[in-house]
Every structure is written in C-alpha cells, then in structure tokens.
Amino acid sequence: EKGGYPHFMLKEIYEQPRTIVDCIRGRINPDTCEVKLSGVIDHRDRFVNARRIIFVACGTSWHASLIGEHLVESICRIPVEVEYASEFRYRNPIIREDDIVVAVSQSGETADTLAAVELARKAGAFVFGICNVVGSSIARATDSGAYIHVGPEIGVASTKAFTGQVTVMAMLALAVGRERGTVTEAYYNEVSAALLHLPETMEEVLKVAPQVADLAKIFTYAHNFIYLGRGYNYPTALEGALKLKEISYIHAEGYPAAEMKHGPIALIDAEMPTVAIATPDHTYEKTASNIEEIKARGGKIIAVIARGDEQVRRSADFVIEVPVIAECLMPIVVSVPLQLLAYYIAVYKGRNVDQPRNLAKSVTVE
Ligand code: M6R
C-alpha cells in the first residue's frame, strides 16, 4: 500500500505531480487557459461583491491560507484575514453578511475549523470549503467549496494536501479576479499556463531528492533551525519549519527574513543552521542581503535558489536548485525540497515519520 516507498510520507511527496493533475483536472481549459471552479461560478455574485475574505484553518492548512491571502489580495483586491480557527471561534469575531469565510482543512474533520464554520454560518456569512476528504464534516457544513482531490493522505505530516490547497487557492484567485476585473489578461494567462505545467515542474523539482538526502545527513546534529522567506515564501518557510518540528522533533522557527534583525538573529551561531528561500522575486535582493547578515554572524546557510543563480550561491554553504515559475506559485515548488529535507532528517534520526509522537492525523477534539 506504500507503493514500494518506505513511508507514506515519501510516497505522498512523490505523488505530487499526479495529485496536481487531479487537482486541476477539468478546472483549467488547456486551450484557452480559462479557470473554472463550479463552487465559484454558482455563487459568482457573492464573490464579486465580497467585502472581505476570512480564511480559517489550523496547522499546515493555516500556512496554505497565508499564501491564499497573498494570492487573493493581489489578484482579486479583496481584503483578506487569516485566522487560526481555534482563536477565531473564541474571540467573538466580527463577521458580516458580505464576508466570505473560507475554511481550509485536509481532513474536513478538524474540530476547531468545523466550529469556526458553524459560527460563520450563524453570523450569516457565506462559507466556502477547501477540503480533501469528500463528504467530510466541514465539506458538508459549508455553502460551497472546491475539493483539492489529492487522494488519501496517510502520513501525519501534510505534504500533497498543502500543495493541493495552494493550487486550489490560485485557481480561486484567478477565477474571482477575472469576474471582478482586477487581474490583467497577461497575468491571468501567465499564472494559469504555469498551473497547467505545474505537474511537470513538480517532476522536475523532485529530482533534488538525492541531493537533499545527502544534505540531511550533514544536519542531523542540529538542535535548532531557522527557516526564512519573504513574500509568497514567508508562509513556505513557516511550513518547512513545521514539517521539521513535527517529524524530526528538532526545534525550528520560520520567520520573514527581514524580521531577523528585530531579535532572532541573536540566536545565530555555527550551531544554528538557516534554510533560506531565495528564489527570484521582487524581494530577491533584500533576501540576499538578509542571508549576508546571517553569514556574517557565523551561521550556516542552506539556500533554496533558482537554477543558474550566482549571487546567493556565493554566500550560501549549501544550495538546493529549483525550477522557477510564476512568483505566486513558487511556494508549491519550494515546499518540495523542504518536505524532503524534513523527511530525510527524521529518517536519519530514526523517527517514526508517518506517525510522529503525540500527534494524530486529524484533530477532532479541541
Ligand atoms: O485536516 P486539517 O487540514 O484541518 O488539519 C490541520 C492540521 O491539524 C494539520 O495541517 C497539521 O498541522 C499537520 N500535521 C501538519 O503537517
């Protein structure tokens, strides 16, 4: 059942080219690049007139939601908030009838997310679900939604669900952005074409696995890790750190790279490795100088860079090269080597990768 892989997690990481195919199937027209999500089409006016979108989620789904925030704000120009479901539900939040609450949950059974959905419905908001498990409680409790269709995820560490969630959010943003007239034709076509090619891009990025496995061997000694990214890849850094924490039991923190100088850089020494995401985007130069600052304090740097990058390569101790696509989709690509890094470090440390201590696949109690 693990398809020849030693763990479900590795199987699920390798499934991603195919799960992305399933996720976009029937939703993007390969000839016209047009994106169609029935859950949006059926409620077009709700989306066009939404005053605000509030994402509610936990864990990895919350990280995907932070990317969703960036996608929706930039493509649809609708203000977005991202809430931990557990905080949202107990805060007596302000929810209005022209708000859309998007509940993101792989299992569709997370107790806090389900409670947030119920609260939002009572307040009269329109609730949209992004779930994986068909017919799950959250999928049933929402007004509309889009499944991510990535198939059963068995490993406790979420991998293919995360990339599926971000893929659905990108399609959602494009579909709504077009209806609202907030996205240019050129950008719409660029991103939807990149989504259509994403399965091949995922095949491509998976080729880094042997190299990441070698890197992991070098870093099993570490007790702490920092993950840095900016813009779309700040949430990717948070997600990379969560993967490492939950399966290897190594303490890891994700930060927006520029925040380091506001405190955390004091932690840096030769024992505190940094994973820095420095793929080409509009903050590349800034990230490059943040990396220099860490290097100057004796930190070891593993940089995720674009193929052919020269600048960050010079300051990094180790590099992982990834293919480059539209900036807003880079978290999907970059998350793959981070999943693999966490996986191999956990394996070398002899951890129970698929069922880490103290964790359950779905958190059905609050
Ligand atoms: O099923 P959900 O997406 O609602 O689950 C939310 C979190 O419990 C989940 O993402 C958790 O953080 C994962 N173990 C992360 O890998």
Side-chain angles (χ1 to χ4, degrees):
E1 53 185 353
K2 290 185 198 140
Y5 290 97
H7 299 97
F8 282 109
M9 181 179 176
L10 192 62
K11 171 177 178 259
E12 289 160 4
I13 291 172
Y14 272 93
E15 272 172 1
Q16 289 174 110
R18 194 184 54 72
T19 57
I20 303 282
V21 172
D22 294 340
C23 182
I24 63 180
R25 176 174 295 124
R27 291 167 162 174
I28 308 181
N29 181 325
D31 301 322
T32 61
C33 284
E34 204 185 334
V35 180
K36 280 207 163 119
L37 285 179
S38 56
V40 173
I41 295 167
D42 296 347
H43 303 276
R44 182 191 172 274
D45 293 351
R46 276 285 194 170
F47 279 94
V48 170
N49 301 320
R51 184 120 64 103
R52 181 173 63 152
I53 291 186
I54 308 169
F55 283 89
V56 293
C58 305
T60 287
S61 300
W62 185 81
H63 294 152
S65 300
L66 291 176
I67 299 167
E69 170 179 33
H70 207 139
L71 283 161
V72 169
E73 289 204 338
S74 64
I75 298 175
C76 313
R77 307 309 291 162
I78 301 173
V80 174
E81 281 166 38
V82 182
E83 300 266 4
Y84 284 116
S86 56
E87 289 294 314
F88 181 76
R89 64 180 288 203
Y90 287 119
R91 218 193 40 228
N92 190 14
I94 299 167
I95 308 171
R96 291 177 306 217
E97 288 186 2
D98 51 2
D99 284 335
I100 295 181
V101 171
V102 179
V104 186
S105 174
Q106 186 284 131
S107 62
E109 301 297 342
T110 299
D112 283 320
T113 311
L114 180 58
V117 165
E118 281 157 2
L119 183 74
R121 291 209 55 179
K122 265 194 210 114
F126 179 76
V127 185
F128 189 89
I130 299 179
C131 297
N132 188 35
V133 178
V134 176
S136 54
S137 304
I138 294 170
R140 281 184 283 119
T142 45
D143 295 298
S144 170
Y147 285 112
I148 61 172
H149 290 309
V150 300
E153 190 180 66
I154 310 293
V156 163
S158 186
T159 52
K160 61 178 181 172
F162 174 76
T163 51
Q165 288 164 343
V166 179
T167 303
V168 164
M169 290 169 188
M171 291 190 287
L172 176 81
L174 290 176
V176 175
R178 166 147 294 180
E179 293 299 330
R180 286 173 55 87
T182 48
V183 59
T184 64
E185 188 74 16
Y187 190 70
Y188 181 96
N189 289 338
E190 179 198 341
V191 177
S192 63
L195 282 166
L196 282 168
H197 288 117
L198 193 52
E200 292 113 80
T201 314
M202 296 300 265
E203 289 285 2
E204 201 53 39
V205 69
L206 279 164
K207 293 184 185 152
V208 300
Q211 187 209 342
V212 173
D214 288 346
L215 253 181
K217 230 173 255 166
I218 302 172
F219 284 99
T220 43
Y221 76 87
H223 294 290
N224 298 283
F225 261 88
I226 295 269
Y227 283 69
L228 300 180
R230 299 178 74 125
Y232 279 106
N233 278 318
Y234 157 51
T236 322
L238 295 179
E239 174 58 9
L242 175 61
K243 287 292 85 99
L244 188 70
K245 276 184 268 212
E246 72 178 326
I247 61 170
S248 73
Y249 318 149
I250 293 175
H251 170 240
E253 302 238 24
Y255 277 100
E259 269 300 300
M260 287 300 282
K261 54 170 76 70
H262 299 283
I265 202 163
L267 293 165
I268 297 295
D269 62 15
E271 308 288 295
M272 180 84 159
T274 297
V275 177
I277 305 166
T279 49
D281 56 32
H282 67 285
T283 52
Y284 174 83
E285 291 296 332
K286 307 271 176 204
T287 310
S289 60
N290 297 143
I291 291 172
E292 286 296 331
E293 289 153 12
I294 292 168
K295 196 185 165 182
R297 280 139 188 107
K300 291 264 172 302
I301 292 149
I302 304 168
V304 180
I305 58 170
R307 279 203 202 119
D309 174 290
E310 292 302 334
Q311 186 180 346
V312 169
R313 177 192 304 274
R314 278 195 295 274
S315 34
D317 297 275
F318 302 92
V319 294
I320 301 170
E321 289 183 307
V322 296
V324 175
I325 57 169
E327 177 176 346
C328 68
L329 302 178
M330 281 307 284
I332 302 172
V333 178
V334 170
S335 63
V336 173
L338 304 189
Q339 294 164 353
L340 288 164
L341 184 65
Y343 172 78
Y344 285 113
I345 289 179
V347 168
Y348 294 136
K349 291 183 80 76
R351 305 301 194 213
N352 185 344
V353 173
D354 283 334
Q355 281 177 305
R357 68 184 181 201
N358 312 337
L359 290 173
K361 180 64 184 164
S362 61
V363 183
T364 51
V365 290
E366 61 171 298

